[in-house]
């Protein structure tokens, strides 16, 4: 028996030294090994303090390569074999699929927040809600700007859409592009299907997105406007609105140019609105009390208030005449004896 082991040892020596068979290569350096045990010992001793099993897509770290590969397969690759038959969403394991069906499609919400009573379908969502809403925690900061997020997934989506300008999914009903499947689904639900599933519990106003409802509650009902302009006294409910105000009002930036008439705009939504209404002639807002149509929603609302509800709130002491729209009053003053 002793001779057998001696023969094996000699055989390994001959294979590794004289024939150059090194089948186990270290993936962190170029060193190769004959035996797996030697390769493992090398990794533990040499690379113990330099572990770099980090997912490039979400920056999550892992103890070994196999765990990293498993994570990438489940979360970032298309190998999600458990398909939801109701919405076509895929999952990496059966338990996640069942949880999804119970919470999303069956509406089961068994966990309640002990501070506000809001219910959730799983513990993770409940804990995230408590951290973000009640503790106002935003632990994930963007390295490219100062914006902070309560969830890492929202930070990654922000970086891809804003700083990498990644919008890979196009809506099949219009030309808009979205950064991920979630945003595309939300866009289609709110814009094309007109769904508004989130209602404010104080004024019953409805919103297509939960974030819009929270912003409405914070700015309208709580009166919070935490971002003040340093050049004037105007305050805003969110930082992006402050930046837009500073760029367009104080710096007079107009970076968005119409390719049909070369008119310039300070904000992209204003450019798109101009193109739809002026060059395409689209009037998507129809009055339900008459046949008149409008290109902008605020024009429709102004029309309904002044024409059908008889609102005339604009007037001067010089003249008894009243107007429903301020610009009509100003025009009247310019063209009549009221200006004297």
């Amino acid at each position: 028996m002793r001779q057998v082991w001696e023969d094996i040892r000699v055989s390994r020596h001959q294979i590794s030294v004289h024939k150059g068979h090194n089948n186990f290569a270290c993936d962190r350096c170029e060193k190769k090994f004959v035996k797996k045990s030697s390769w493992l010992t090398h990794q533990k001793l040499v690379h113990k303090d330099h572990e770099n099993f980090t997912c490039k897509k979400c920056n999550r770290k892992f103890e070994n390569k196999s765990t990293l590969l498993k994570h990438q397969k489940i979360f970032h690759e298309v190998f999600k074999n458990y398909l939801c038959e109701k919405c076509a969403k895929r999952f990496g394991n059966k338990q996640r699929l069942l949880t999804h069906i119970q919470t999303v499609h069956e509406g089961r919400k068994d966990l309640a927040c002990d501070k506000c009573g809001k219910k959730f379908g799983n513990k993770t969502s409940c804990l995230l809600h408590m951290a973000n809403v009640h503790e106002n925690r935003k632990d994930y900061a963007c390295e490219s700007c100062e914006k902070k997020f309560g969830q890492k997934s929202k930070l990654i989506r922000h970086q891809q859409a804003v700083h990498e300008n990644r919008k890979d999914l196009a809506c099949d009903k219009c030309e808009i592009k979205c950064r991920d499947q979630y945003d595309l689904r939300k866009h289609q639900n709110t814009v094309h299907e007109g769904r508004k599933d989130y209602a404010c519990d104080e004024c019953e106003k409805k919103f297509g997105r939960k974030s819009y409802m929270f912003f409405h509650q914070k700015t309208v009902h709580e009166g919070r406007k935490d971002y003040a302009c340093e050049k004037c006294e105007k305050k805003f409910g969110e930082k992006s609105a402050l930046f837009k105000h500073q760029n367009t009002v104080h710096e007079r930036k107009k970076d968005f140019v119409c390719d049909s008439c070369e008119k310039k705009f300070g904000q992209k939504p204003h450019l798109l609105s101009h193109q739809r209404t002026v060059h395409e002639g689209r009037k998507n807002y129809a009055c339900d009390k008459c046949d008149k149509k409008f290109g902008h929603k605020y024009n429709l609302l102004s029309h309904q208030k002044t024409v059908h509800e008889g609102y005339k709130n604009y007037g001067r002491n010089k003249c008894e005449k009243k107007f429903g729209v301020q610009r009509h009053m100003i025009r009247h003053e310019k063209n009549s004896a009221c200006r004297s």
Side-chain angles (χ1 to χ4, degrees):
M1 190 67 182
R2 186 175 179 179
Q3 185 61 42
V4 172
W5 285 111
E6 184 64 26
D7 292 341
I8 292 172
R9 190 183 66 77
V10 172
S11 177
R12 281 178 177 171
H13 166 78
Q14 290 174 335
I15 291 170
S16 59
V17 176
H18 302 294
K19 293 184 180 180
H21 286 194
N22 295 322
N23 296 324
F24 298 96
C26 178
D27 55 359
R28 300 180 207 176
C29 64
E30 298 179 355
K31 199 164 186 179
K32 294 182 178 181
F33 300 88
V34 183
K35 296 186 288 182
K36 189 175 182 179
S37 58
S38 303
W39 168 67
L40 291 171
T41 304
H42 162 79
Q43 287 188 324
K44 286 179 182 178
L45 295 176
V46 178
H47 300 295
K48 184 178 181 181
D49 297 327
H50 303 281
E51 292 185 351
N52 192 26
F53 296 108
T54 305
C55 178
K56 293 180 180 179
K57 294 189 177 181
C58 66
N59 295 325
R60 191 173 171 184
K61 293 185 178 182
F62 298 89
E63 292 182 358
N64 51 62
K65 192 174 182 179
S66 62
T67 314
L68 169 62
L69 293 173
K70 187 177 179 182
H71 161 81
Q72 289 174 331
K73 180 180 176 182
I74 293 174
F75 290 98
H76 302 300
E77 296 179 14
V78 253
F79 301 107
K80 295 184 177 181
N81 299 322
Y82 296 91
L83 174 70
C84 176
E85 296 177 354
K86 295 184 179 181
C87 67
K89 194 172 183 179
R90 290 181 175 272
F91 298 87
N93 57 63
K94 192 174 183 179
Q95 184 57 47
R96 288 181 181 273
L97 170 63
L98 293 174
T99 303
H100 163 79
I101 294 172
Q102 289 171 354
T103 55
V104 176
H105 300 297
E106 297 176 6
R108 279 181 55 181
K109 294 182 178 181
D110 302 329
L111 294 170
C113 173
D114 54 6
K115 293 185 179 180
C116 67
K118 190 172 182 180
K119 293 188 176 181
F120 298 88
N122 56 69
K123 191 175 181 180
T124 305
S125 300
C126 184
L127 293 172
L128 279 172
H129 160 80
M130 292 174 70
N132 296 339
V133 177
H134 299 297
E135 299 171 17
N136 199 28
R137 280 177 54 187
K138 292 187 177 181
D139 300 332
Y140 302 97
C142 178
E143 295 176 354
S144 303
C145 64
E146 296 178 359
K147 199 164 187 181
K148 293 184 178 182
F149 300 87
Q151 299 176 36
K152 194 170 187 177
S153 59
K154 290 185 177 180
L155 166 63
I156 293 168
R157 281 168 54 201
H158 159 80
Q159 289 172 329
Q160 290 175 345
V162 177
H163 302 296
E164 298 174 18
N165 199 28
R166 281 177 54 184
K167 291 187 177 181
D168 305 324
L169 294 173
C171 176
D172 56 1
K173 296 180 181 178
C174 65
E175 296 179 357
I176 198 169
K177 288 188 176 181
C178 301
R179 55 191 173 188
D180 54 29
Q181 193 71 37
Y182 173 83
D183 271 1
L184 176 61
R185 192 163 59 247
K186 281 290 181 184
H187 161 77
Q188 291 175 333
N189 288 343
T190 55
V191 176
H192 300 296
E193 298 176 18
R195 282 176 54 181
K196 293 186 177 181
D197 301 330
Y198 303 98
C200 175
D201 53 8
E202 295 193 34
C203 67
E204 296 184 357
K205 190 173 181 180
K206 293 185 177 181
F207 300 86
R209 296 200 180 197
K210 192 185 283 187
S211 58
Y212 296 165
M213 181 189 71
F214 285 145
F215 178 72
H216 159 81
Q217 290 174 331
K218 185 178 79 172
T219 55
V220 176
H221 299 297
E222 297 175 19
R224 283 178 55 185
K225 291 187 177 181
D226 303 330
Y227 302 97
C229 178
E230 296 175 351
K231 297 180 180 179
C232 65
E233 296 180 357
K234 200 164 185 181
K235 292 184 177 182
F236 300 88
E238 56 182 2
K239 200 175 231 182
S240 60
L242 169 62
F243 288 151
K244 283 179 183 177
H245 161 80
Q246 290 174 331
N247 288 337
T248 55
V249 176
H250 299 296
E251 298 177 19
R252 298 198 175 274
K253 283 186 179 179
K254 291 188 177 182
D255 300 328
F256 302 96
V257 183
C258 176
D259 52 8
S260 300
C261 67
E262 296 186 357
K263 190 174 181 180
K264 294 182 178 182
F265 298 87
Q267 297 180 33
K268 192 174 182 179
H270 296 169
L271 166 64
L272 296 174
S273 176
H274 161 80
Q275 290 173 328
R276 283 196 303 266
T277 55
V278 176
H279 299 296
E280 298 174 18
R282 284 168 59 178
K283 294 185 177 181
N284 299 330
Y285 300 96
C287 179
D288 55 1
K289 295 179 181 178
C290 66
D291 296 330
K292 202 161 186 181
K293 292 183 178 181
F294 300 88
H296 300 283
K297 191 173 183 179
Y298 61 81
N299 287 337
L300 167 64
L301 296 174
S302 175
H303 160 80
Q304 289 175 330
K305 283 184 179 180
T306 55
V307 176
H308 299 296
E309 298 174 19
Y311 277 25
K312 291 186 178 181
N313 299 330
Y314 298 97
R316 300 285 193 195
N317 294 330
K318 298 176 183 178
C319 176
E320 294 181 358
K321 195 167 184 179
K322 291 186 179 291
F323 301 87
V325 182
Q326 189 176 24
R327 66 176 181 274
H328 294 169
M329 179 191 72
I330 294 169
R331 187 191 305 155
H332 169 76
E333 288 179 337
K334 287 180 179 179
N335 300 328
S336 70
C338 293
R339 58 186 173 182
S340 59

